[in-house]
């Protein structure tokens, strides 16, 4: 099982789940526009006809993947700060979780980033709303820390954006066979974020 | 003229140049595998037959774009530190140039990042060599500053990678109609990099 299988572990029946994983592989290899539903179905060991029992169109598959991916990252971020006290500790927990998630789920994350432009309008609106919630989570944490005097930041919007880049870009370069584990990447990212916010010295 | 046209401004004849720009647009819209040479030729106001006078295959076009893009970023990085004294000033100049380049050329940069996997083997090897030179430029600057005691960094490889993420990820989210200019993004990125390296206080 690849780590990203967690993202769709609750999807039933099993054939629907298998098709999501096969679609990610096809989109990663050929791009959304270069992929046929026949190719996806074959990847899942099914006929093209059997695919349509579970998903009406290729666009539906892309949307379903985008939805599950964004719900997964939101859940990881929310869970990371739940009950954590102190601005510095909270933002470190958030950045650790954010970078670690992008290492673990690098393949699905890359596919979705590359193919956001291929989403149909109504789907794109729903995904954009989820993306705004991810950005707001980080932005609000930074804002709260600045307001409390725990962080030293002149440009909250630009700095939050940069913190997001540190975590999100992990999915572009991360390779499971590389020298660092997702946890090590998470820890380094949290450390560098604390430097950016000037809250390294255990200040809460 | 879009800023990225600079990347191929030296390509002649004009029809070859026009095809590169049209290919970037087609790849951005449909992905490499979803794009036909007919579609690219149409975007350049030419027939498919006329395209083959300039490029043998779609793969040649992708390689040519990747080559010019990587040479452009290398040139921007090298130029940024030429004759600049002091480790802190050099790394700031490098990060400014790196992030600014990715804002200005966000469209071509995204296409190439998304489609690196579509390069043919020999092409991929040549592009990988250029990418290693980009990474080495930043890594060696950080290393030199650490050796001289100008930067405070425990993990040179991981920190250099994170600095690269700050600059490269700009091409994922940058929109020309957004609130920040490429120069403002460059300045913020240089400032945050200095915080990461702990060399903000004018230390050389």
């Amino acid at each position: 099982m690849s780590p990203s299988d967690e993202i769709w572990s609750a999807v039933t029946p099993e054939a629907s789940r298998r098709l999501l994983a096969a679609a990610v592989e096809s989109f990663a290899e050929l791009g959304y526009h270069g992929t046929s539903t026949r190719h996806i179905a074959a990847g899942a060991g099914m006929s093209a006809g059997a695919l349509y029992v579970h998903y009406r169109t290729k666009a539906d598959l892309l949307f379903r993947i985008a939805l599950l991916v964004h719900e997964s990252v939101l859940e990881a971020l929310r869970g990371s700060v739940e009950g954590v006290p102190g601005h510095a500790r909270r933002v470190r927990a958030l950045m650790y979780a954010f970078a670690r998630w992008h290492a673990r789920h690098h393949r699905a994350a890359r596919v979705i980033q590359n193919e956001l432009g291929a989403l149909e309008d109504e789907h794109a609106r729903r995904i954009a709303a989820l993306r705004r919630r991810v950005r707001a989570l980080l932005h609000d944490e930074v804002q709260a820390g600045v307001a409390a005097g725990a962080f030293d930041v002149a440009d909250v919007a630009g700095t939050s954006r940069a913190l997001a880049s540190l975590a999100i870009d992990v999915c572009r370069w991360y390779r499971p066979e590389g020298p660092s584990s997702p946890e090590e990447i998470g820890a380094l990212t949290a450390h560098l974020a604390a430097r950016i916010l000037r809250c390294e010295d255990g200040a809460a």
Side-chain angles (χ1 to χ4, degrees), chain A:
Chain A
M1 190 173 113
S2 105
S4 285
D5 292 342
E6 286 170 17
I7 296 177
W8 24 82
S9 61
V11 173
T12 56
E14 193 263 344
S16 296
R17 196 159 66 236
R18 204 140 39 91
L19 283 164
L20 294 172
V24 166
E25 293 309 310
S26 291
F27 296 158
E29 187 191 343
L30 299 172
Y32 175 77
H33 294 287
T35 294
S36 64
T37 47
R38 184 172 299 277
H39 189 273
I40 295 169
M46 293 162 62
S47 69
L51 181 148
Y52 294 113
V53 174
H54 303 278
Y55 301 97
R56 276 190 314 122
T57 61
K58 186 172 69 161
D60 275 354
L61 263 164
L62 179 64
F63 173 56
R64 195 67 202 279
I65 294 164
L67 202 59
L68 289 166
V69 159
H70 284 89
E71 284 170 351
S72 169
V73 74
L74 253 178
E75 195 183 294
L77 293 183
R78 283 196 188 122
S80 74
V81 287
E82 214 171 74
V84 175
H87 297 289
R89 279 213 266 164
R90 288 176 67 84
V91 89
R92 275 200 289 253
L94 204 56
M95 290 298 295
Y96 174 89
F98 206 10
R100 176 174 176 266
W101 188 95
H102 277 87
R104 298 197 68 196
H105 305 296
H106 60 104
R107 205 160 167 83
R110 281 213 68 177
V111 162
I112 288 307
Q113 265 174 29
N114 290 356
E115 305 296 355
L116 275 178
L119 286 167
E120 292 178 348
D121 287 351
E122 174 53 26
H123 293 164
R125 270 191 291 276
R126 288 188 56 188
I127 297 302
L130 286 173
R131 292 176 77 82
R132 278 195 298 274
R133 283 161 70 185
V134 169
R135 283 206 301 275
L137 253 171
L138 186 53
H139 180 278
D140 293 353
E141 255 341 297
V142 172
Q143 182 90 284
V146 170
F151 305 154
D152 169 20
V153 172
D155 174 357
V156 170
T159 303
S160 304
R161 182 70 100 167
L163 291 178
S165 283
L166 276 184
I168 293 171
D169 192 59
V170 168
C171 78
R172 184 184 56 80
W173 58 260
Y174 178 76
R175 298 291 174 274
E177 64 276 19
S180 306
S181 68
E183 289 68 30
E184 287 166 336
I185 290 164
L188 177 63
T189 307
H191 166 68
L192 300 180
R195 284 196 167 192
I196 281 178
L197 300 170
R198 285 247 187 98
C199 65
E200 308 165 65
D201 304 309

